[in-house]
PDB file of all heavy atoms in Angstrom:
ATOM      1  N   LEU A 526     -65.749  39.098  25.729  1.00 98.00           N
ATOM      2  CA  LEU A 526     -64.448  39.830  25.576  1.00 98.00           C
ATOM      3  C   LEU A 526     -64.795  41.215  25.604  1.00 98.00           C
ATOM      4  O   LEU A 526     -65.464  41.741  24.684  1.00 98.00           O
ATOM      5  CB  LEU A 526     -63.627  39.313  24.459  1.00 98.00           C
ATOM      6  CG  LEU A 526     -62.432  40.114  24.011  1.00 98.00           C
ATOM      7  CD1 LEU A 526     -61.348  40.176  25.149  1.00 98.00           C
ATOM      8  CD2 LEU A 526     -61.835  39.622  22.707  1.00 98.00           C
ATOM      9  N   VAL A 527     -64.098  42.021  26.459  1.00 97.00           N
ATOM     10  CA  VAL A 527     -64.349  43.514  26.489  1.00 97.00           C
ATOM     11  C   VAL A 527     -62.991  44.056  26.079  1.00 97.00           C
ATOM     12  O   VAL A 527     -61.985  43.892  26.900  1.00 97.00           O
ATOM     13  CB  VAL A 527     -64.769  43.984  27.931  1.00 97.00           C
ATOM     14  CG1 VAL A 527     -64.779  45.510  28.030  1.00 97.00           C
ATOM     15  CG2 VAL A 527     -66.130  43.390  28.339  1.00 97.00           C
ATOM     16  N   VAL A 528     -62.878  44.880  25.077  1.00 96.00           N
ATOM     17  CA  VAL A 528     -61.749  45.590  24.547  1.00 96.00           C
ATOM     18  C   VAL A 528     -61.921  47.078  24.723  1.00 96.00           C
ATOM     19  O   VAL A 528     -62.757  47.582  23.964  1.00 96.00           O
ATOM     20  CB  VAL A 528     -61.459  45.154  23.138  1.00 96.00           C
ATOM     21  CG1 VAL A 528     -60.079  45.705  22.693  1.00 96.00           C
ATOM     22  CG2 VAL A 528     -61.468  43.602  22.919  1.00 96.00           C
ATOM     23  N   GLU A 529     -61.271  47.609  25.657  1.00 93.00           N
ATOM     24  CA  GLU A 529     -61.405  49.047  26.040  1.00 93.00           C
ATOM     25  C   GLU A 529     -60.154  49.568  26.584  1.00 93.00           C
ATOM     26  O   GLU A 529     -59.553  48.961  27.474  1.00 93.00           O
ATOM     27  CB  GLU A 529     -62.461  49.152  27.069  1.00 93.00           C
ATOM     28  CG  GLU A 529     -62.767  50.537  27.605  1.00 93.00           C
ATOM     29  CD  GLU A 529     -63.073  51.658  26.801  1.00 93.00           C
ATOM     30  OE1 GLU A 529     -64.046  51.608  26.118  1.00 93.00           O
ATOM     31  OE2 GLU A 529     -62.242  52.554  26.570  1.00 93.00           O
ATOM     32  N   ASP A 530     -59.638  50.735  26.054  1.00 91.00           N
ATOM     33  CA  ASP A 530     -58.331  51.242  26.539  1.00 91.00           C
ATOM     34  C   ASP A 530     -58.579  52.119  27.843  1.00 91.00           C
ATOM     35  O   ASP A 530     -57.630  52.210  28.550  1.00 91.00           O
ATOM     36  CB  ASP A 530     -57.685  52.119  25.462  1.00 91.00           C
ATOM     37  CG  ASP A 530     -58.511  53.384  25.072  1.00 91.00           C
ATOM     38  OD1 ASP A 530     -59.779  53.102  24.907  1.00 91.00           O
ATOM     39  OD2 ASP A 530     -58.026  54.443  24.936  1.00 91.00           O
ATOM     40  N   ASP A 531     -59.704  52.565  28.109  1.00 90.00           N
ATOM     41  CA  ASP A 531     -59.929  53.261  29.364  1.00 90.00           C
ATOM     42  C   ASP A 531     -60.209  52.391  30.511  1.00 90.00           C
ATOM     43  O   ASP A 531     -61.148  51.615  30.461  1.00 90.00           O
ATOM     44  CB  ASP A 531     -61.105  54.238  29.190  1.00 90.00           C
ATOM     45  CG  ASP A 531     -61.349  55.060  30.451  1.00 90.00           C
ATOM     46  OD1 ASP A 531     -60.592  55.980  30.678  1.00 90.00           O
ATOM     47  OD2 ASP A 531     -62.392  54.751  31.126  1.00 90.00           O
ATOM     48  N   GLU A 532     -59.275  52.382  31.415  1.00 92.00           N
ATOM     49  CA  GLU A 532     -59.329  51.431  32.571  1.00 92.00           C
ATOM     50  C   GLU A 532     -60.641  51.543  33.349  1.00 92.00           C
ATOM     51  O   GLU A 532     -61.180  50.387  33.700  1.00 92.00           O
ATOM     52  CB  GLU A 532     -58.088  51.599  33.493  1.00 92.00           C
ATOM     53  CG  GLU A 532     -58.086  50.514  34.582  1.00 92.00           C
ATOM     54  CD  GLU A 532     -56.855  50.655  35.441  1.00 92.00           C
ATOM     55  OE1 GLU A 532     -56.005  51.635  35.267  1.00 92.00           O
ATOM     56  OE2 GLU A 532     -56.674  49.869  36.334  1.00 92.00           O
ATOM     57  N   VAL A 533     -61.105  52.657  33.600  1.00 92.00           N
ATOM     58  CA  VAL A 533     -62.213  52.879  34.361  1.00 92.00           C
ATOM     59  C   VAL A 533     -63.476  52.291  33.669  1.00 92.00           C
ATOM     60  O   VAL A 533     -64.318  51.468  34.183  1.00 92.00           O
ATOM     61  CB  VAL A 533     -62.585  54.421  34.751  1.00 92.00           C
ATOM     62  CG1 VAL A 533     -63.929  54.521  35.468  1.00 92.00           C
ATOM     63  CG2 VAL A 533     -61.390  54.852  35.719  1.00 92.00           C
ATOM     64  N   SER A 534     -63.600  52.557  32.358  1.00 90.00           N
ATOM     65  CA  SER A 534     -64.748  52.046  31.578  1.00 90.00           C
ATOM     66  C   SER A 534     -64.651  50.551  31.503  1.00 90.00           C
ATOM     67  O   SER A 534     -65.621  49.829  31.575  1.00 90.00           O
ATOM     68  CB  SER A 534     -64.688  52.696  30.205  1.00 90.00           C
ATOM     69  OG  SER A 534     -64.873  54.082  30.215  1.00 90.00           O
ATOM     70  N   ARG A 535     -63.469  50.117  31.180  1.00 93.00           N
ATOM     71  CA  ARG A 535     -63.150  48.527  31.073  1.00 93.00           C
ATOM     72  C   ARG A 535     -63.619  47.912  32.365  1.00 93.00           C
ATOM     73  O   ARG A 535     -64.310  46.794  32.292  1.00 93.00           O
ATOM     74  CB  ARG A 535     -61.706  48.377  30.759  1.00 93.00           C
ATOM     75  CG  ARG A 535     -61.394  46.957  30.468  1.00 93.00           C
ATOM     76  CD  ARG A 535     -59.924  46.815  30.022  1.00 93.00           C
ATOM     77  NE  ARG A 535     -58.973  47.190  30.945  1.00 93.00           N
ATOM     78  CZ  ARG A 535     -58.075  48.167  30.750  1.00 93.00           C
ATOM     79  NH1 ARG A 535     -58.018  48.767  29.667  1.00 93.00           N
ATOM     80  NH2 ARG A 535     -57.245  48.552  31.753  1.00 93.00           N
ATOM     81  N   GLU A 536     -63.258  48.371  33.488  1.00 94.00           N
ATOM     82  CA  GLU A 536     -63.582  47.686  34.786  1.00 94.00           C
ATOM     83  C   GLU A 536     -65.051  47.785  35.086  1.00 94.00           C
ATOM     84  O   GLU A 536     -65.693  46.865  35.671  1.00 94.00           O
ATOM     85  CB  GLU A 536     -62.764  48.237  35.847  1.00 94.00           C
ATOM     86  CG  GLU A 536     -61.286  47.764  35.834  1.00 94.00           C
ATOM     87  CD  GLU A 536     -61.222  46.207  35.784  1.00 94.00           C
ATOM     88  OE1 GLU A 536     -61.628  45.574  36.765  1.00 94.00           O
ATOM     89  OE2 GLU A 536     -60.686  45.661  34.781  1.00 94.00           O
ATOM     90  N   LEU A 537     -65.660  48.974  34.807  1.00 94.00           N
ATOM     91  CA  LEU A 537     -67.123  49.132  34.958  1.00 94.00           C
ATOM     92  C   LEU A 537     -67.829  48.072  34.193  1.00 94.00           C
ATOM     93  O   LEU A 537     -68.861  47.446  34.698  1.00 94.00           O
ATOM     94  CB  LEU A 537     -67.543  50.500  34.632  1.00 94.00           C
ATOM     95  CG  LEU A 537     -69.005  50.854  34.811  1.00 94.00           C
ATOM     96  CD1 LEU A 537     -69.560  50.751  36.218  1.00 94.00           C
ATOM     97  CD2 LEU A 537     -69.377  52.184  34.262  1.00 94.00           C
ATOM     98  N   VAL A 538     -67.544  47.968  32.838  1.00 94.00           N
ATOM     99  CA  VAL A 538     -68.380  46.958  32.025  1.00 94.00           C
ATOM    100  C   VAL A 538     -68.040  45.584  32.559  1.00 94.00           C
ATOM    101  O   VAL A 538     -68.831  44.742  32.707  1.00 94.00           O
ATOM    102  CB  VAL A 538     -67.796  47.111  30.562  1.00 94.00           C
ATOM    103  CG1 VAL A 538     -68.430  46.029  29.740  1.00 94.00           C
ATOM    104  CG2 VAL A 538     -68.303  48.495  30.070  1.00 94.00           C
ATOM    105  N   ARG A 539     -66.780  45.277  32.828  1.00 96.00           N
ATOM    106  CA  ARG A 539     -66.425  43.954  33.430  1.00 96.00           C
ATOM    107  C   ARG A 539     -67.252  43.549  34.586  1.00 96.00           C
ATOM    108  O   ARG A 539     -67.898  42.523  34.707  1.00 96.00           O
ATOM    109  CB  ARG A 539     -64.918  43.866  33.783  1.00 96.00           C
ATOM    110  CG  ARG A 539     -64.517  42.425  34.311  1.00 96.00           C
ATOM    111  CD  ARG A 539     -63.080  42.428  34.814  1.00 96.00           C
ATOM    112  NE  ARG A 539     -62.855  43.308  35.965  1.00 96.00           N
ATOM    113  CZ  ARG A 539     -63.243  43.063  37.185  1.00 96.00           C
ATOM    114  NH1 ARG A 539     -63.924  41.985  37.516  1.00 96.00           N
ATOM    115  NH2 ARG A 539     -63.139  43.927  38.094  1.00 96.00           N
ATOM    116  N   MET A 540     -67.258  44.403  35.570  1.00 96.00           N
ATOM    117  CA  MET A 540     -68.047  44.176  36.826  1.00 96.00           C
ATOM    118  C   MET A 540     -69.510  44.069  36.614  1.00 96.00           C
ATOM    119  O   MET A 540     -70.107  43.196  37.319  1.00 96.00           O
ATOM    120  CB  MET A 540     -67.750  45.386  37.866  1.00 96.00           C
ATOM    121  CG  MET A 540     -66.372  45.372  38.518  1.00 96.00           C
ATOM    122  SD  MET A 540     -66.066  46.476  39.791  1.00 96.00           S
ATOM    123  CE  MET A 540     -66.556  48.059  39.024  1.00 96.00           C
ATOM    124  N   THR A 541     -70.037  44.898  35.761  1.00 96.00           N
ATOM    125  CA  THR A 541     -71.394  44.815  35.494  1.00 96.00           C
ATOM    126  C   THR A 541     -71.840  43.488  34.802  1.00 96.00           C
ATOM    127  O   THR A 541     -72.779  42.820  35.197  1.00 96.00           O
ATOM    128  CB  THR A 541     -71.921  46.023  34.492  1.00 96.00           C
ATOM    129  OG1 THR A 541     -71.583  47.295  35.233  1.00 96.00           O
ATOM    130  CG2 THR A 541     -73.360  45.892  34.167  1.00 96.00           C
ATOM    131  N   LEU A 542     -70.982  43.060  33.915  1.00 96.00           N
ATOM    132  CA  LEU A 542     -71.271  41.723  33.164  1.00 96.00           C
ATOM    133  C   LEU A 542     -71.048  40.630  34.144  1.00 96.00           C
ATOM    134  O   LEU A 542     -71.903  39.561  34.121  1.00 96.00           O
ATOM    135  CB  LEU A 542     -70.411  41.675  31.969  1.00 96.00           C
ATOM    136  CG  LEU A 542     -70.778  42.604  30.822  1.00 96.00           C
ATOM    137  CD1 LEU A 542     -69.634  42.517  29.771  1.00 96.00           C
ATOM    138  CD2 LEU A 542     -72.134  42.305  30.239  1.00 96.00           C
ATOM    139  N   GLU A 543     -69.995  40.595  34.952  1.00 97.00           N
ATOM    140  CA  GLU A 543     -69.756  39.515  35.974  1.00 97.00           C
ATOM    141  C   GLU A 543     -70.906  39.399  36.957  1.00 97.00           C
ATOM    142  O   GLU A 543     -71.294  38.343  37.245  1.00 97.00           O
ATOM    143  CB  GLU A 543     -68.465  39.763  36.670  1.00 97.00           C
ATOM    144  CG  GLU A 543     -67.290  39.480  35.804  1.00 97.00           C
ATOM    145  CD  GLU A 543     -65.938  39.595  36.386  1.00 97.00           C
ATOM    146  OE1 GLU A 543     -65.914  40.293  37.543  1.00 97.00           O
ATOM    147  OE2 GLU A 543     -64.945  39.157  35.852  1.00 97.00           O
ATOM    148  N   ARG A 544     -71.495  40.485  37.349  1.00 97.00           N
ATOM    149  CA  ARG A 544     -72.628  40.509  38.322  1.00 97.00           C
ATOM    150  C   ARG A 544     -73.844  39.896  37.725  1.00 97.00           C
ATOM    151  O   ARG A 544     -74.714  39.368  38.471  1.00 97.00           O
ATOM    152  CB  ARG A 544     -72.959  41.971  38.767  1.00 97.00           C
ATOM    153  CG  ARG A 544     -72.078  42.393  39.814  1.00 97.00           C
ATOM    154  CD  ARG A 544     -72.599  43.821  40.433  1.00 97.00           C
ATOM    155  NE  ARG A 544     -71.474  44.491  40.878  1.00 97.00           N
ATOM    156  CZ  ARG A 544     -71.282  45.873  40.768  1.00 97.00           C
ATOM    157  NH1 ARG A 544     -72.121  46.450  39.966  1.00 97.00           N
ATOM    158  NH2 ARG A 544     -70.292  46.464  41.191  1.00 97.00           N
ATOM    159  N   ARG A 545     -73.866  39.861  36.354  1.00 97.00           N
ATOM    160  CA  ARG A 545     -74.979  39.195  35.674  1.00 97.00           C
ATOM    161  C   ARG A 545     -74.795  37.773  35.220  1.00 97.00           C
ATOM    162  O   ARG A 545     -75.432  37.187  34.459  1.00 97.00           O
ATOM    163  CB  ARG A 545     -75.412  40.108  34.544  1.00 97.00           C
ATOM    164  CG  ARG A 545     -76.107  41.375  34.989  1.00 97.00           C
ATOM    165  CD  ARG A 545     -76.351  42.429  33.889  1.00 97.00           C
ATOM    166  NE  ARG A 545     -77.034  43.521  34.391  1.00 97.00           N
ATOM    167  CZ  ARG A 545     -76.709  44.444  35.202  1.00 97.00           C
ATOM    168  NH1 ARG A 545     -75.611  44.356  35.779  1.00 97.00           N
ATOM    169  NH2 ARG A 545     -77.520  45.452  35.496  1.00 97.00           N
ATOM    170  N   GLY A 546     -73.588  37.243  35.699  1.00 97.00           N
ATOM    171  CA  GLY A 546     -73.352  35.861  35.512  1.00 97.00           C
ATOM    172  C   GLY A 546     -72.487  35.482  34.318  1.00 97.00           C
ATOM    173  O   GLY A 546     -72.299  34.408  33.989  1.00 97.00           O
ATOM    174  N   TYR A 547     -71.847  36.501  33.597  1.00 98.00           N
ATOM    175  CA  TYR A 547     -71.039  36.208  32.515  1.00 98.00           C
ATOM    176  C   TYR A 547     -69.576  36.125  32.879  1.00 98.00           C
ATOM    177  O   TYR A 547     -69.091  36.739  33.775  1.00 98.00           O
ATOM    178  CB  TYR A 547     -71.114  37.371  31.523  1.00 98.00           C
ATOM    179  CG  TYR A 547     -72.428  37.530  30.898  1.00 98.00           C
ATOM    180  CD1 TYR A 547     -73.331  38.448  31.354  1.00 98.00           C
ATOM    181  CD2 TYR A 547     -72.794  36.636  29.852  1.00 98.00           C
ATOM    182  CE1 TYR A 547     -74.629  38.640  30.807  1.00 98.00           C
ATOM    183  CE2 TYR A 547     -74.130  36.839  29.244  1.00 98.00           C
ATOM    184  CZ  TYR A 547     -75.052  37.791  29.791  1.00 98.00           C
ATOM    185  OH  TYR A 547     -76.212  37.919  29.250  1.00 98.00           O
ATOM    186  N   ALA A 548     -68.823  35.281  32.313  1.00 98.00           N
ATOM    187  CA  ALA A 548     -67.343  35.150  32.256  1.00 98.00           C
ATOM    188  C   ALA A 548     -66.806  36.293  31.443  1.00 98.00           C
ATOM    189  O   ALA A 548     -67.199  36.436  30.230  1.00 98.00           O
ATOM    190  CB  ALA A 548     -66.900  33.738  31.905  1.00 98.00           C
ATOM    191  N   VAL A 549     -65.993  37.108  32.036  1.00 98.00           N
ATOM    192  CA  VAL A 549     -65.412  38.263  31.227  1.00 98.00           C
ATOM    193  C   VAL A 549     -63.904  38.256  31.159  1.00 98.00           C
ATOM    194  O   VAL A 549     -63.278  37.975  32.183  1.00 98.00           O
ATOM    195  CB  VAL A 549     -65.857  39.556  31.959  1.00 98.00           C
ATOM    196  CG1 VAL A 549     -65.301  40.792  31.123  1.00 98.00           C
ATOM    197  CG2 VAL A 549     -67.426  39.665  32.036  1.00 98.00           C
ATOM    198  N   VAL A 550     -63.512  38.455  29.916  1.00 98.00           N
ATOM    199  CA  VAL A 550     -62.027  38.583  29.632  1.00 98.00           C
ATOM    200  C   VAL A 550     -61.894  40.032  29.117  1.00 98.00           C
ATOM    201  O   VAL A 550     -62.747  40.527  28.402  1.00 98.00           O
ATOM    202  CB  VAL A 550     -61.530  37.560  28.455  1.00 98.00           C
ATOM    203  CG1 VAL A 550     -60.203  37.739  28.340  1.00 98.00           C
ATOM    204  CG2 VAL A 550     -61.847  36.120  29.022  1.00 98.00           C
ATOM    205  N   VAL A 551     -60.759  40.713  29.566  1.00 97.00           N
ATOM    206  CA  VAL A 551     -60.605  42.014  29.095  1.00 97.00           C
ATOM    207  C   VAL A 551     -59.284  42.232  28.311  1.00 97.00           C
ATOM    208  O   VAL A 551     -58.307  41.411  28.616  1.00 97.00           O
ATOM    209  CB  VAL A 551     -60.646  42.954  30.377  1.00 97.00           C
ATOM    210  CG1 VAL A 551     -62.019  43.050  31.014  1.00 97.00           C
ATOM    211  CG2 VAL A 551     -59.547  42.853  31.283  1.00 97.00           C
ATOM    212  N   ALA A 552     -59.155  43.252  27.512  1.00 96.00           N
ATOM    213  CA  ALA A 552     -57.941  43.602  26.838  1.00 96.00           C
ATOM    214  C   ALA A 552     -58.038  45.126  26.622  1.00 96.00           C
ATOM    215  O   ALA A 552     -59.065  45.705  26.578  1.00 96.00           O
ATOM    216  CB  ALA A 552     -57.952  42.990  25.465  1.00 96.00           C
ATOM    217  N   GLU A 553     -56.874  45.747  26.711  1.00 94.00           N
ATOM    218  CA  GLU A 553     -56.690  47.239  26.541  1.00 94.00           C
ATOM    219  C   GLU A 553     -56.515  47.812  25.170  1.00 94.00           C
ATOM    220  O   GLU A 553     -56.419  49.010  25.045  1.00 94.00           O
ATOM    221  CB  GLU A 553     -55.588  47.597  27.550  1.00 94.00           C
ATOM    222  CG  GLU A 553     -54.147  47.042  27.136  1.00 94.00           C
ATOM    223  CD  GLU A 553     -53.887  45.722  27.514  1.00 94.00           C
ATOM    224  OE1 GLU A 553     -54.649  45.100  28.355  1.00 94.00           O
ATOM    225  OE2 GLU A 553     -52.964  45.100  27.044  1.00 94.00           O
ATOM    226  N   ASP A 554     -56.367  46.953  24.198  1.00 94.00           N
ATOM    227  CA  ASP A 554     -56.317  47.472  22.774  1.00 94.00           C
ATOM    228  C   ASP A 554     -56.703  46.414  21.773  1.00 94.00           C
ATOM    229  O   ASP A 554     -56.817  45.297  22.184  1.00 94.00           O
ATOM    230  CB  ASP A 554     -54.873  48.035  22.477  1.00 94.00           C
ATOM    231  CG  ASP A 554     -53.829  47.010  22.579  1.00 94.00           C
ATOM    232  OD1 ASP A 554     -53.909  45.917  22.108  1.00 94.00           O
ATOM    233  OD2 ASP A 554     -52.769  47.366  23.299  1.00 94.00           O
ATOM    234  N   GLY A 555     -56.713  46.787  20.578  1.00 93.00           N
ATOM    235  CA  GLY A 555     -57.194  45.780  19.610  1.00 93.00           C
ATOM    236  C   GLY A 555     -56.301  44.682  19.300  1.00 93.00           C
ATOM    237  O   GLY A 555     -56.644  43.576  18.927  1.00 93.00           O
ATOM    238  N   VAL A 556     -54.901  44.897  19.513  1.00 95.00           N
ATOM    239  CA  VAL A 556     -53.845  43.907  19.331  1.00 95.00           C
ATOM    240  C   VAL A 556     -54.068  42.803  20.364  1.00 95.00           C
ATOM    241  O   VAL A 556     -54.295  41.597  19.937  1.00 95.00           O
ATOM    242  CB  VAL A 556     -52.491  44.460  19.438  1.00 95.00           C
ATOM    243  CG1 VAL A 556     -51.460  43.260  19.368  1.00 95.00           C
ATOM    244  CG2 VAL A 556     -52.208  45.387  18.255  1.00 95.00           C
ATOM    245  N   ARG A 557     -54.229  43.138  21.568  1.00 96.00           N
ATOM    246  CA  ARG A 557     -54.424  42.156  22.642  1.00 96.00           C
ATOM    247  C   ARG A 557     -55.816  41.493  22.574  1.00 96.00           C
ATOM    248  O   ARG A 557     -56.072  40.402  22.865  1.00 96.00           O
ATOM    249  CB  ARG A 557     -54.123  42.717  23.967  1.00 96.00           C
ATOM    250  CG  ARG A 557     -54.261  41.759  25.146  1.00 96.00           C
ATOM    251  CD  ARG A 557     -53.073  40.818  25.073  1.00 96.00           C
ATOM    252  NE  ARG A 557     -53.289  39.707  26.031  1.00 96.00           N
ATOM    253  CZ  ARG A 557     -53.089  38.447  25.897  1.00 96.00           C
ATOM    254  NH1 ARG A 557     -52.851  37.999  24.639  1.00 96.00           N
ATOM    255  NH2 ARG A 557     -53.383  37.600  26.849  1.00 96.00           N
ATOM    256  N   GLY A 558     -56.777  42.372  22.195  1.00 96.00           N
ATOM    257  CA  GLY A 558     -58.114  41.914  21.997  1.00 96.00           C
ATOM    258  C   GLY A 558     -58.268  40.820  20.998  1.00 96.00           C
ATOM    259  O   GLY A 558     -58.938  39.765  21.206  1.00 96.00           O
ATOM    260  N   TYR A 559     -57.569  40.930  19.803  1.00 97.00           N
ATOM    261  CA  TYR A 559     -57.532  39.974  18.869  1.00 97.00           C
ATOM    262  C   TYR A 559     -56.970  38.666  19.400  1.00 97.00           C
ATOM    263  O   TYR A 559     -57.470  37.613  19.172  1.00 97.00           O
ATOM    264  CB  TYR A 559     -56.788  40.480  17.550  1.00 97.00           C
ATOM    265  CG  TYR A 559     -56.706  39.330  16.435  1.00 97.00           C
ATOM    266  CD1 TYR A 559     -57.883  39.020  15.714  1.00 97.00           C
ATOM    267  CD2 TYR A 559     -55.601  38.731  16.332  1.00 97.00           C
ATOM    268  CE1 TYR A 559     -57.680  38.082  14.747  1.00 97.00           C
ATOM    269  CE2 TYR A 559     -55.468  37.624  15.362  1.00 97.00           C
ATOM    270  CZ  TYR A 559     -56.579  37.341  14.633  1.00 97.00           C
ATOM    271  OH  TYR A 559     -56.412  36.391  13.629  1.00 97.00           O
ATOM    272  N   GLU A 560     -55.830  38.853  20.026  1.00 97.00           N
ATOM    273  CA  GLU A 560     -55.139  37.676  20.665  1.00 97.00           C
ATOM    274  C   GLU A 560     -56.035  36.924  21.608  1.00 97.00           C
ATOM    275  O   GLU A 560     -56.154  35.694  21.549  1.00 97.00           O
ATOM    276  CB  GLU A 560     -53.868  37.996  21.351  1.00 97.00           C
ATOM    277  CG  GLU A 560     -52.778  38.578  20.513  1.00 97.00           C
ATOM    278  CD  GLU A 560     -51.556  39.174  21.235  1.00 97.00           C
ATOM    279  OE1 GLU A 560     -51.767  39.392  22.479  1.00 97.00           O
ATOM    280  OE2 GLU A 560     -50.652  39.651  20.579  1.00 97.00           O
ATOM    281  N   GLN A 561     -56.833  37.642  22.430  1.00 97.00           N
ATOM    282  CA  GLN A 561     -57.747  37.022  23.365  1.00 97.00           C
ATOM    283  C   GLN A 561     -58.816  36.422  22.658  1.00 97.00           C
ATOM    284  O   GLN A 561     -59.404  35.353  23.150  1.00 97.00           O
ATOM    285  CB  GLN A 561     -58.269  38.140  24.352  1.00 97.00           C
ATOM    286  CG  GLN A 561     -57.186  38.626  25.328  1.00 97.00           C
ATOM    287  CD  GLN A 561     -57.061  37.739  26.491  1.00 97.00           C
ATOM    288  OE1 GLN A 561     -57.336  36.545  26.412  1.00 97.00           O
ATOM    289  NE2 GLN A 561     -56.401  38.310  27.520  1.00 97.00           N
ATOM    290  N   ALA A 562     -59.360  37.112  21.596  1.00 98.00           N
ATOM    291  CA  ALA A 562     -60.448  36.372  20.799  1.00 98.00           C
ATOM    292  C   ALA A 562     -60.001  35.142  20.265  1.00 98.00           C
ATOM    293  O   ALA A 562     -60.843  34.170  20.280  1.00 98.00           O
ATOM    294  CB  ALA A 562     -60.839  37.425  19.697  1.00 98.00           C
ATOM    295  N   VAL A 563     -58.827  35.089  19.637  1.00 98.00           N
ATOM    296  CA  VAL A 563     -58.402  33.772  19.085  1.00 98.00           C
ATOM    297  C   VAL A 563     -58.236  32.700  20.095  1.00 98.00           C
ATOM    298  O   VAL A 563     -58.552  31.467  19.990  1.00 98.00           O
ATOM    299  CB  VAL A 563     -57.095  34.009  18.214  1.00 98.00           C
ATOM    300  CG1 VAL A 563     -56.481  32.629  17.722  1.00 98.00           C
ATOM    301  CG2 VAL A 563     -57.364  34.856  16.991  1.00 98.00           C
TER     302      VAL A 563
END
């Protein structure tokens, strides 16, 4: 789970991790990040 408010940073991390074989879920703030974690 990648929780990052900056869209460019969030997408860069997501793409990097996906290229390495991870399933990635993203959220733009801590509220949504907590929901995604649960």
